Amino acid sequence: HQLLARQWQHRASGSSGARRGCCGRHQCGETRRGLAAAAAAARWWHVGRRGFVASVEAGAKGEMESTMKEIRGGGAPCVLDMDDAATVGGGVEDTYGEDRATEEQLVTPWTVSVASGYNLLRDPRYNKGLAFTEKERETHYLRGLLPPAVTSQELQERKIMHNIRQYQLPLQRYMAMMDLQEGNERLFYKLLIDNVEELLPIVYTPTVGEACQKYGSIFSRPQGLYISLKEKGKILEVLKNWPERSIQVIVVTDGERILGLGDLGCQGMGIPVGKLSLYTALGGVRPSACLPITLDVGTNNEELLNDEFYIGLRQRRVTGQEYADFLHEFMAAVKQNYGEKVLIQFEDFANHNAFDLLARYGTTHLVFNDDIQGTASVVLAGLVAALKLVGGTLAEHTYLFLGAGEAGTGIAELIALEMSRQTKTPIDECRKKIWLVDSKGLIVSTRKESLQHFKKPWAHEHEHVGNLLDAVNAIKPTVLIGTSGKGQTFTQEVVEAISSFNEVTFIVLTCFTFYYFEQYLMVFCKKM
């Protein structure tokens, strides 16, 4: 560190801005380039009266390559040797985006200013409200900007919970929580962690669905990044407008299939925001490492297009090659700006796009679809747990699904994969033990030509069956799983039918969202 400090002094000695400890905001372009070059050799910390300026570590490419190769050993593979053309969009020289993240910034790219005083109280990441201690108020120039009382975070929590409970409508509670998140981030997550059972239905489903429907009316401050067709060709620049650089998780939606509500266009932003709030509260992911994104490619919702408060593009949704090119530019820009390790979660895309995106980018990006893969993993875990009570193996059961969308086909595929892994049987053979019912009845081979591509693997040889009850009597399943958006389908007659030829019947409510009438049920049986 002493050697690096001497290198810093030697390289930056000609810069008056460096001698003054200036953050570089007022330097000319030539001086900023000189400072940036000097910063590549060392870390520099400066503590000033109104806050502090911290350097972001950057290394000269040649020196870093040789150093990393020495550490790994000559024969070890190195990402620095990767061919740029091997990645989507051509890739970038800096594989993990650490240098590109600070390229072409208006201020000196290796400095970040942390506010104090009045600005500190307006920064939700650092604001603590009345919980600032006397010493902190003195240090951060908060004297007179706050009432004299000093309260604990626990007292703040009790007060906010008392206020939230006074609201009669869930949407009012949702808006109160969003206001808190925008004003005091630490208190927001403290509240959510300590009262998860009470607040989770407010921050996420079912209340977030109503919030998305009325997002234009309740919108006050942006909580994520909006990328619309207007930004086509400039998506990388838009990503650089986001203030955080060390992004680890991106939840992105195009708003076409929001929960069970359909196409909500740009107003689907409530879903990525809510999902990432849960990842922080329940998963421990840093809020600054999370980025909610809405891709606005239009909407086919006539009600929204005619709504004067709608916040998105007022045009019909684009499809086909134009949509694919826009998504490809987005995926390439994310990888270029944030690197290969950032997780991109596709959320609430329509079925036809959701499967295509996973297939297209599953080998080039770290991608995940919660509706297809997340739900599947939870249901499979439930099946494995139920086997301990029922006995037998996955391959010994016959499965019938109500619903053949993203969730249904995703669960079915994961069950088949696990069955194949356990029995060493080809997956096509394992799929034959799994049957799906959609809105037109049992999925069978005679319907194959009219089926969407993700349903075709489940089209087996059988006569046409028009409804769930008839399918239960025809297939005689031992496992019945519901993933339908239509309620009141698991009727008494269906349960009695499946119980008539099974000795033991377990009915498991895996997920039920009453606001959208979604029905996620699992009936697990043991044959007589």
Side-chain angles (χ1 to χ4, degrees), residues 204 212 252-268 271 275 295 297-301 317 323 346-355 369-372 375 404-408 452 454 483-485 516 518 520:
Y204 204 59
C212 288
V252 58
T253 185
D254 69 351
E256 189 170 4
R257 194 198 64 84
I258 298 298
L259 302 174
L261 303 173
D263 187 352
L264 296 184
C266 191
Q267 296 189 169
I271 298 299
K275 184 77 72 172
L295 301 177
V297 294
T299 179
N300 295 333
N301 189 323
R317 184 174 289 273
Y323 179 88
F346 300 119
E347 188 71 22
D348 285 351
F349 282 76
N351 294 343
H352 55 280
N353 290 323
F355 289 96
N369 187 302
D370 186 37
D371 302 306
I372 298 173
T375 304
E406 292 177 40
Q452 294 168 287
F454 57 87
T483 61
S484 172
Y516 319 111
E518 285 187 347
Y520 283 7

Side-chain angles (χ1 to χ4, degrees), residues 404-421:
E406 292 177 40
T409 55
I411 297 168
E413 184 68 12
L414 191 59
I415 292 173
L417 285 169
E418 179 60 16
M419 205 185 300
S420 176
R421 188 190 69 84

Side-chain angles (χ1 to χ4, degrees), residues 116-177:
S116 61
Y118 187 79
N119 290 333
L120 179 59
L121 298 178
R122 294 295 181 268
D123 191 330
R125 295 171 299 176
Y126 306 112
N127 177 36
K128 299 197 296 183
L130 293 179
F132 280 113
T133 64
E134 294 288 352
K135 183 178 181 181
E136 288 172 332
R137 297 181 188 204
E138 183 67 34
T139 303
H140 298 295
Y141 308 95
L142 299 176
R143 291 292 184 190
L145 301 180
L146 290 168
V150 177
T151 62
S152 65
Q153 192 180 54
E154 289 70 25
L155 181 59
Q156 288 179 317
E157 181 182 359
R158 289 200 300 272
K159 182 182 74 172
I160 296 296
M161 283 305 300
H162 171 77
N163 292 339
I164 287 176
R165 287 166 180 155
Q166 302 306 306
Y167 293 116
Q168 299 299 314
L169 300 177
L171 185 60
Q172 293 174 322
R173 297 183 179 187
Y174 174 87
M175 294 170 66
M177 287 297 293

Side-chain angles (χ1 to χ4, degrees), residues 382 386 506-511 520-524:
F506 291 97
I507 300 178
V508 183
L509 182 65
T510 58
C511 176
Y520 283 7
L521 292 170
M522 180 169 67
V523 181
F524 206 132

Side-chain angles (χ1 to χ4, degrees), residues 9-20:
Q9 292 170 358
H10 173 72
R11 296 191 183 191
S13 60
S15 168
S16 59
R19 288 195 299 271
R20 290 196 304 270

Side-chain angles (χ1 to χ4, degrees), residues 177 180-181 184-194 273 276-281 285-287 290:
M177 287 297 293
L180 178 62
Q181 186 178 21
N184 190 331
E185 195 173 77
R186 295 185 183 191
L187 184 57
F188 169 82
Y189 287 111
K190 171 71 172 172
L191 222 66
L192 189 54
I193 291 169
D194 292 348
V273 170
L276 287 171
S277 296
L278 301 186
Y279 287 175
T280 295
V285 182
R286 290 182 299 108
C290 300

Side-chain angles (χ1 to χ4, degrees), residues 10 53 100 155 185 215 233 243 263 293 339 357 371 379 492 502:
H10 173 72
V53 178
R100 289 291 184 124
L155 181 59
E185 195 173 77
Y215 212 76
D263 187 352
I293 296 179
L357 290 171
D371 302 306
V379 173
Q492 181 177 342
N502 289 291

